Amino acid sequence: MSGIFYAECLEVAKLANVPFAIGGGYAVNFHTGIDRYTKDIDIFCKPGDYPRILNKFSELGYSTHVEDVRWLAKIKRGDDYVDVIFGATNAVAPITDEWIRRSIPARIHDIDVNVLGVTELIWSKVFIQYRERYDGADVAHLILRKSDVIDWERLLSY
């Protein structure tokens, strides 16, 4: 069921008429060609835009809430959910216009969307280091597969 839910959510996010890009596991899969399971889909948008996305979902009967005002909101239906990400837990990486401009067209669940560019995707994952979760393998795969398109100066400037 998750695939249908995610496709619906991508369509609804587009209806919010807010610029966004897909990150997380879906973006890693897109950039690396590695098809690995992901438990959710991550919609990245600027901090000022996430309320419009949540409002559109709420209007259509989805459950929404802000989990952490610094960076994360959630959209849920049953056991399925979407993360709406507008920053980083450490407040170092707000999502900016540049992140959206540098995103790349993709097709996910037969929906045309954009995914984060590889440079911003690496930056979004480099600080994910918890006891139960570490995104270092994603970063390593992105570097191995996309080192030629990573904007190294931009990444280091972050």
Side-chain angles (χ1 to χ4, degrees), residues 121-141:
L121 183 58
I122 289 171
W123 186 240
S124 76
K125 291 185 154 292
V126 77
F127 290 110
I128 308 298
Q129 303 177 55
Y130 305 111
R131 178 175 292 209
E132 73 284 354
R133 180 166 168 210
Y134 175 62
D135 283 1
D138 286 347
V139 172
H141 284 108

Side-chain angles (χ1 to χ4, degrees), residues 75-93:
I75 299 160
K76 293 184 179 183
R77 187 174 66 200
D79 291 333
D80 297 320
Y81 65 96
V82 170
D83 286 340
V84 179
I85 298 171
F86 45 90
T89 58
N90 59 12
V92 171

Side-chain angles (χ1 to χ4, degrees), residues 25-43:
Y26 276 90
V28 171
N29 292 350
F30 173 82
H31 285 292
T32 65
I34 297 170
D35 189 20
R36 70 166 175 84
Y37 169 78
T38 180
K39 68 187 179 330
D40 66 358
I41 197 162
D42 297 335
I43 295 174

Side-chain angles (χ1 to χ4, degrees), residues 6-69:
Y6 295 148
E8 288 175 10
C9 288
L10 293 174
E11 289 287 7
V12 172
K14 290 172 77 169
L15 291 173
N17 206 21
V18 170
F20 69 89
I22 302 304
Y26 276 90
V28 171
N29 292 350
F30 173 82
H31 285 292
T32 65
I34 297 170
D35 189 20
R36 70 166 175 84
Y37 169 78
T38 180
K39 68 187 179 330
D40 66 358
I41 197 162
D42 297 335
I43 295 174
F44 281 67
C45 67
K46 296 184 307 182
D49 289 341
Y50 83 85
R52 288 177 42 205
I53 293 174
L54 294 186
N55 287 339
K56 180 51 77 177
F57 277 92
S58 292
E59 287 172 12
L60 296 173
Y62 291 81
S63 172
T64 66
H65 75 278
V66 177
E67 188 142 314
D68 188 323
V69 295

